[in-house]
Amino acid sequence: MRPRSPLVFMSLVCTLLNTCQAHRVHDDKPNIVLIMVDDLGIGDLGCYGNDTIRTPRIDRLAREGVRLTQHISAASLCSPSRSAFLTGRYPIRSEWGPWVDTLYLLQHGEEGSRHRKEPFLLFFSFLHVHIPLPTTDNFIGTSKHGLYGDNVEEMDSMMGKILDAIDHFGLRNNTIVYFTSDHGGHLEARRGHAQLGGWNGIYKGGKGMGGWEGGIRVPGIVRWPGKVPAGRVIKEPTSLMDIFPTVASVSGGSLPQDRVIDGRDLMPLLQGSARHSEHEFLFHYCGSYLHAVRWIPKDDNRSFHSRAVTEHMFLEKFLRIALLQKGRWG
């Protein structure tokens, strides 16, 4: 059976082209393109240290924008991670369900044509590089890492088509492009002795492995020419939850006031007006269990990652009480 994902992809590119033709100049509000790969390991990309899988288009995007090296998913599984990404909240705060895929966008693509004179927001969620790794014939056998490597390299080529479409219609300078993965690579994905999952670099663990760093540290690249410095590397802790308030900030929107938003606006950090992350703590859950806590002291450049397993919010409450007693929690 031939994979359907290229057909879906080309339909989406056509939708993007049709939608964005009229919005070439808009001074105060940019177009926003959010791109999320499924199960991609941070070590699978050239710009994050891989020298055997070819990802030239993503590597170029990193050179043209800001690369985040301590970018953290809120969970090591798809649905809770994507829930946090879409809501700006820890998944334990929400009744998260299955994520909406690209087909929904295609089925409702006609909505885009009704808003051609306004800035657009596109969230493109790749099927790549999740098993069963559907890959077109043109990329089968082209990498040094079997079917998984072939799939990563095809994904990079598809990324290039999206970026080329943005350039073709003169939208580069007023379009924010954000690239990430929903969580770390799937280390246990195998077919016999063949590895079908990704590589998480130096970090232990992977998809579904609680608070281990390999399951939650993901690539993060942001390009906005003229607004975000090209070639910059930010080592401060950031989160997928930060994208929701960042999108609200650049689009002139306001955050909901009837709920806690755990993410923070990344623009001061991306543009250099802030030196440090606004997060002092990041909590890492697997389901309802808190597996790890990351502490980023405000008065130095270090961060600390402690692993423990406890149910619900007990450890978070304990830490807050302890820090309040020391005068460290406002």
Side-chain angles (χ1 to χ4, degrees):
M1 181 178 68
R2 294 182 62 84
R4 295 191 305 166
S5 57
L7 298 177
V8 174
F9 171 75
M10 290 308 299
S11 298
L12 179 58
V13 170
C14 290
T15 301
L16 172 62
L17 295 179
N18 187 43
T19 302
C20 67
Q21 289 185 47
H23 183 57
R24 294 177 180 270
V25 179
H26 201 292
D27 293 335
D28 56 344
K29 297 179 182 179
N31 306 307
I32 301 169
V33 177
L34 309 176
I35 301 170
M36 180 175 282
V37 186
D38 204 337
D39 288 11
L40 179 72
I42 192 171
D44 290 330
L45 302 175
C47 53
Y48 283 92
N50 194 306
D51 59 3
T52 57
I53 294 181
R54 296 167 296 182
T55 55
R57 298 309 304 268
I58 297 170
D59 298 346
R60 176 180 168 183
L61 183 70
R63 293 193 300 270
E64 295 172 343
V66 169
R67 182 166 60 91
L68 305 172
T69 63
Q70 200 174 164
H71 201 42
I72 307 298
S73 169
S76 60
L77 289 171
C78 298
S79 293
S81 168
R82 291 167 183 268
S83 169
F85 173 75
L86 292 171
T87 64
R89 292 159 53 85
Y90 287 110
I92 197 171
R93 299 191 191 276
S94 307
E95 294 182 3
W96 48 267
W99 48 275
V100 179
D101 65 14
T102 303
L103 289 175
Y104 178 87
L105 178 62
L106 291 178
Q107 291 164 358
H108 294 75
E110 67 273 10
E111 293 296 325
S113 64
R114 301 177 187 176
H115 300 282
R116 291 187 177 184
K117 295 182 180 180
E118 303 173 2
F120 66 84
L121 186 151
L122 170 69
F123 174 36
F124 183 76
S125 182
F126 271 101
L127 172 61
H128 296 59
V129 290
H130 196 289
I131 54 174
L133 304 174
T135 307
T136 58
D137 292 343
N138 289 340
F139 284 87
I140 294 292
T142 59
S143 79
K144 297 180 181 179
H145 291 277
L147 183 60
Y148 182 82
D150 298 345
N151 202 243
V152 172
E153 293 188 2
E154 181 175 54
M155 178 274 296
D156 180 79
S157 175
M158 295 164 75
M159 267 292 300
K161 289 180 171 63
I162 295 175
L163 297 173
D164 288 345
I166 293 170
D167 290 349
H168 177 76
F169 284 93
L171 299 169
R172 171 190 283 253
N173 290 338
N174 59 301
T175 300
I176 298 175
V177 177
Y178 168 76
F179 174 89
T180 194
S181 175
D182 55 354
H183 48 66
H186 190 184
L187 303 184
E188 297 173 324
R190 307 185 70 85
R191 181 180 296 159
H193 295 291
Q195 172 74 22
L196 296 181
W199 183 50
N200 297 317
I202 64 173
Y203 305 111
K204 184 176 182 178
K207 177 180 179 179
M209 297 186 184
W212 291 118
E213 196 74 4
I216 55 179
R217 189 174 291 222
V218 294
I221 300 172
V222 181
R223 186 187 76 179
W224 189 6
K227 301 291 186 178
V228 170
R232 188 168 178 227
V233 176
I234 294 178
K235 300 179 181 180
E236 289 289 305
T238 56
S239 170
L240 293 190
M241 296 184 295
D242 296 335
I243 303 308
F244 179 79
T246 302
V247 167
S249 172
V250 300
S251 63
S254 58
L255 294 175
Q257 300 300 307
D258 61 346
R259 71 204 70 172
V260 174
I261 301 298
D262 298 298
R264 300 291 184 266
D265 179 8
L266 286 177
M267 288 311 299
L269 194 61
L270 294 173
Q271 295 181 317
S273 60
R275 293 182 55 202
H276 297 294
S277 170
E278 288 191 30
H279 295 287
E280 186 171 7
F281 289 90
L282 286 169
F283 300 93
H284 308 305
Y285 292 90
C286 189
S288 62
Y289 288 85
L290 181 61
H291 278 233
V293 177
R294 188 182 308 267
W295 176 34
I296 310 101
K298 295 296 185 181
D299 52 359
D300 62 35
N301 294 320
R302 296 174 297 171
S303 65
F304 302 91
H305 186 182
S306 176
R307 295 190 73 252
V309 179
T310 185
E311 192 171 6
H312 302 302
M313 307 289 281
F314 173 77
L315 183 56
E316 179 178 349
K317 292 177 181 177
F318 172 81
L319 286 169
R320 289 176 183 266
I321 292 171
L323 290 167
L324 277 171
Q325 290 174 345
K326 294 183 178 181
R328 292 301 308 274
W329 197 288

